[in-house]
């Protein structure tokens, strides 16, 4: 069965420091996409970054980068230069085909708290 | 990016009544929309996949007669919680993929349902 695992229920990071949020996944499907979403207290899901299973390079979007290690089935999110506004829940998610009627499967999330 | 709206954002209803939640794709067509449910401090759990012009596909354990889904057009899916009970109180969030488009799912802002 396909599964996303986030082993860190909560993380603390000092403002301006970098932080890594862990995510591992399990699938036998060769074609999949990995996502990270941020959910602040308002509840909205904010898309951060995407990595396709066939992408050769790690994805980057501004201060966010995805450390994709395919052999280890991990897709860790790295946030550089943390800001107070980064405090939120972060969800790793996966979809198992890149088209069609496939939903996202989410991990349990990691609550990040940025300390001034 | 594409925008998905949800209405209402918050609703309080009495036990035994029904409540309808609308999910609209504002600037794109979506043949498929997804409905998720999120309990406090938990992750998003897929409830059902809504397909335009056909019956929704429900996840195991989700009562199709209680959670009625109608995807009548390429821009609108509705979720009706029938005979609501306090245990139905939750955060309901929809997402949509662009028809014929890429990987990304666009999330609505969510609806917080409280059943008294």
């Amino acid at each position: 069965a396909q599964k996303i695992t986030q082993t860190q229920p909560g993380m603390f990071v000092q403002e301006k420091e970098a932080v890594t949020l862990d995510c591992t996944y399990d699938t036998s499907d060769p074609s999949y996409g990995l996502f990270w979403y941020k959910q602040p207290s308002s509840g909205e899901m904010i898309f951060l970054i995407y990595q396709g299973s066939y992408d050769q390079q790690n994805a980057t979007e501004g201060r966010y980068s995805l450390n994709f290690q395919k052999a280890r089935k991990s897709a860790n999110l790295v946030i550089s230069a943390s800001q107070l506004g980064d405090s939120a829940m972060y969800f790793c998610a996966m979809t198992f085909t890149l088209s069609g009627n496939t939903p996202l499967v989410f991990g349990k999330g990691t609550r990040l708290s940025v300390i001034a | 990016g594409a925008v998905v709206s949800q209405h209402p954002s918050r609703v309080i209803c009495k036990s035994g009544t029904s409540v309808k939640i609308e999910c609209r794709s504002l600037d794109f067509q979506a043949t498929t929309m997804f409905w998720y449910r999120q309990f406090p401090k938990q992750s998003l759990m897929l409830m059902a996949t809504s397909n335009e012009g056909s019956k929704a596909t429900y996840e195991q354990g989700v009562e199709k007669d209680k959670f009625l889904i109608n995807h009548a057009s390429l821009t609108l899916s509705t979720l009706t919680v029938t005979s609501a009970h306090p245990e139905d109180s939750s955060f309901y969030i929809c997402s949509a993929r662009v028809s014929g488009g890429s990987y990304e799912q666009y999330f609505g802002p969510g609806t917080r349902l409280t059943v008294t």
Side-chain angles (χ1 to χ4, degrees):
Chain A
Q2 297 90 353
K3 190 177 179 181
I4 293 283
T5 302
Q6 294 180 255
T7 58
Q8 305 154 315
M11 289 280 287
F12 290 88
V13 64
Q14 202 76 33
E15 195 178 10
K16 300 180 184 177
E17 297 292 312
V19 63
T20 298
L21 306 184
D22 294 341
C23 174
T24 58
Y25 60 92
D26 187 21
T27 181
S28 56
D29 193 319
S31 178
Y32 53 89
L34 295 156
F35 302 76
W36 277 92
Y37 286 87
K38 172 184 178 181
Q39 188 180 43
S41 56
S42 62
E44 62 183 312
M45 296 293 286
I46 301 170
F47 168 74
L48 296 178
I49 198 167
Y50 166 81
Q51 180 86 40
S53 59
Y54 296 117
D55 293 343
Q56 295 297 314
Q57 292 191 325
N58 287 346
T60 61
E61 291 285 350
R63 294 187 298 112
Y64 304 107
S65 60
L66 199 152
N67 184 1
F68 182 45
Q69 298 189 43
K70 195 170 183 177
R72 294 186 176 184
K73 293 187 176 179
S74 75
N76 298 339
L77 176 71
V78 180
I79 305 175
S80 62
S82 297
Q83 302 171 356
L84 294 177
D86 294 335
S87 294
M89 280 293 289
Y90 288 80
F91 291 100
C92 180
M94 185 173 189
T95 190
F96 297 99
T97 59
L98 299 183
S99 63
N101 299 345
T102 53
L104 291 173
V105 175
F106 287 88
K108 291 188 174 183
T110 297
R111 180 167 295 283
L112 177 67
S113 299
V114 181
I115 304 166
Chain B
V3 178
V4 174
S5 70
Q6 267 185 257
H7 178 79
S9 58
R10 288 179 178 270
V11 59
I12 301 172
C13 70
K14 293 182 183 288
S15 284
T17 62
S18 296
V19 61
K20 180 185 285 188
I21 302 169
E22 293 186 347
C23 177
R24 292 182 186 272
S25 55
L26 296 186
D27 50 2
F28 66 99
Q29 294 185 331
T31 53
T32 302
M33 292 183 175
F34 304 99
W35 286 95
Y36 297 86
R37 181 174 183 176
Q38 186 180 29
F39 289 108
K41 300 187 187 301
Q42 294 190 21
S43 186
L44 280 74
M45 295 298 294
L46 179 69
M47 297 176 66
T49 300
S50 171
N51 303 298
E52 187 267 335
S54 65
K55 291 183 179 181
T57 304
Y58 290 82
E59 293 300 297
Q60 190 173 9
V62 177
E63 299 175 60
K64 64 177 77 172
D65 293 332
K66 181 170 186 59
F67 298 99
L68 300 179
I69 291 173
N70 186 356
H71 194 153
S73 76
L74 287 172
T75 59
L76 174 64
S77 176
T78 60
L79 167 68
T80 302
V81 183
T82 63
S83 187
H85 289 281
E87 56 264 32
D88 298 325
S89 299
S90 188
F91 188 62
Y92 293 87
I93 190 164
C94 69
S95 71
R97 294 178 72 161
V98 178
S99 298
S102 67
Y103 53 83
E104 189 170 350
Q105 288 195 21
Y106 300 94
F107 283 86
T111 296
R112 193 163 301 282
L113 170 64
T114 302
V115 184
T116 61

